[in-house]
Amino acid sequence: SSPKFSFVYTDNRFDWQQLEEKPFRVFWYQGDKAFAQSILDTAQEGLKQLERILSLSAPEQLDIYVYNDTSALLQSLNPAGPSWVSGHADPDLGVVLVTIPAGTEQRQDIEQRIPHELAHIALYQATGLGYYNLPTWLNEGLASLVEIYPNQDYQVLLDHAVETDSLLAMQSLCNGFPRDASSALLSYAQAASFTRYLYERFGAAKIGELVNTYANGVSCENGIQSTLGATLAQLESQWRREALEQNVAQKRSEERRVGKECRSLWS
């Protein structure tokens, strides 16, 4: 066998600037130091979220590479991959890549994407190679739980899917998400909502137990049944009824009430 050696694999297309605040190092090529500091501050706040919500600890070191546009990020990953990707975590390397474009929504993007990718790293640190056995819906759902600024489009997508009977079966989201943008976004919305429902119903300790069960190699269906005492289909049915359909019903009731008030004003 040959001697062991290591090398650094870096995207050298850009003149990266660096700012460090342990355990994080931020690399960026566009924007001032205040921009990089906001990334660091959000990462530190994300650590607090991880500890508070999931009882996960900080990684020993995490490098965060910030791209200014999606195309540059995609070229650093797989150019043939999905065009909707805005963040990527490489847990075994301790590296996160995110797109944070300039504009009015920059702050929201930072508070959404940095904690989300940080959660993936922390989950890997807690579970080791068992991380890769976590159902995709749970992995992405837990990452969504720790976002400081959750995606505001998710509820709109969920309401529309309920009204058009186009929700995806949670079983289909165990081993990956669809590649097309609309189905992928709905998958993320469902994962976030379903995981939050389970978290609020069963509590942090039980969700932690669920993560460990999956990390030990149990299947998507058997893991949730052995830990939470119900099948995936049963919990999905309850989630749809209690979290989604109820929300749509309340929304319709509010719309009817507002409609009546408007008609009375003009009568």
Side-chain angles (χ1 to χ4, degrees):
S1 61
S2 64
K4 294 182 179 180
F5 68 97
S6 62
F7 63 93
V8 178
Y9 182 68
T10 304
D11 186 349
N12 60 5
R13 295 173 298 162
F14 304 101
D15 184 16
W16 297 99
Q17 301 180 70
Q18 178 180 336
L19 189 63
E20 182 173 357
E21 186 177 295
K22 292 187 180 299
F24 304 110
R25 291 191 301 181
V26 172
F27 299 85
W28 84 105
Y29 58 86
Q30 192 166 88
D32 55 16
K33 188 175 179 180
F35 168 69
Q37 186 63 53
S38 69
I39 301 288
L40 284 174
D41 292 343
T42 303
Q44 296 291 354
E45 186 63 30
L47 287 183
K48 296 176 184 177
Q49 290 279 85
L50 284 169
E51 174 62 31
R52 181 176 63 84
I53 298 175
L54 301 177
S55 299
L56 294 175
S57 57
E60 293 181 4
Q61 180 175 304
L62 178 62
D63 290 343
I64 304 172
Y65 286 83
V66 183
Y67 289 83
N68 187 56
D69 61 83
T70 302
S71 62
L73 171 65
L74 293 176
Q75 289 167 20
S76 71
L77 299 171
N78 179 6
S83 60
W84 43 263
V85 171
S86 59
H88 172 76
D90 207 325
D92 52 342
L93 296 179
V95 174
V96 160
L97 296 83
V98 292
T99 300
I100 306 289
T104 57
E105 297 183 354
Q106 186 177 78
R107 186 66 199 175
Q108 292 94 314
D109 288 341
I110 292 173
E111 293 183 346
Q112 182 183 118
R113 295 170 187 174
I114 297 300
H116 186 105
E117 302 304 333
L118 173 58
H120 289 310
I121 302 293
L123 279 168
Y124 175 85
Q125 180 176 277
T127 58
L129 293 178
Y131 170 86
Y132 296 105
N133 197 58
L134 299 181
T136 306
W137 63 260
L138 179 62
N139 195 345
E140 296 298 343
L142 290 174
S144 296
L145 271 183
V146 302
E147 293 173 359
I148 298 170
Y149 186 87
N151 192 315
Q152 301 300 297
D153 294 330
Y154 284 174
Q155 193 59 56
V156 176
L157 288 168
L158 291 170
D159 290 347
H160 176 73
V162 170
E163 292 174 338
T164 58
D165 194 26
S166 57
L167 285 169
L168 304 169
M170 293 306 300
Q171 179 66 44
S172 70
L173 306 181
C174 285
N175 298 311
F177 286 173
R179 288 175 62 85
D180 67 284
S182 60
S183 296
L185 193 56
L186 177 59
S187 300
Y188 277 96
Q190 288 190 208
S193 179
F194 185 58
T195 304
R196 183 173 296 278
Y197 171 78
L198 296 179
Y199 183 87
E200 292 175 350
R201 176 173 171 179
F202 294 98
K206 208 65 177 175
I207 296 303
E209 185 181 336
L210 180 64
V211 169
N212 290 332
T213 298
Y214 282 127
N216 287 327
V218 181
S219 69
C220 185
E221 179 61 51
N222 291 339
I224 200 166
Q225 186 166 8
S226 64
T227 305
L228 303 184
T231 66
L232 179 59
Q234 288 171 335
L235 290 170
E236 178 180 0
S237 177
Q238 294 164 10
W239 159 69
R240 290 191 181 199
R241 184 175 63 253
E242 297 173 18
L244 302 187
E245 294 170 6
Q246 187 178 80
N247 183 73
V248 170
Q250 290 174 345
K251 199 173 176 183
R252 287 174 179 166
S253 176
E254 178 64 17
E255 288 172 350
R256 286 195 294 268
R257 184 187 66 78
V258 172
K260 289 179 180 178
E261 290 179 354
C262 290
R263 284 194 295 274
S264 66
L265 286 173
W266 290 99
S267 61

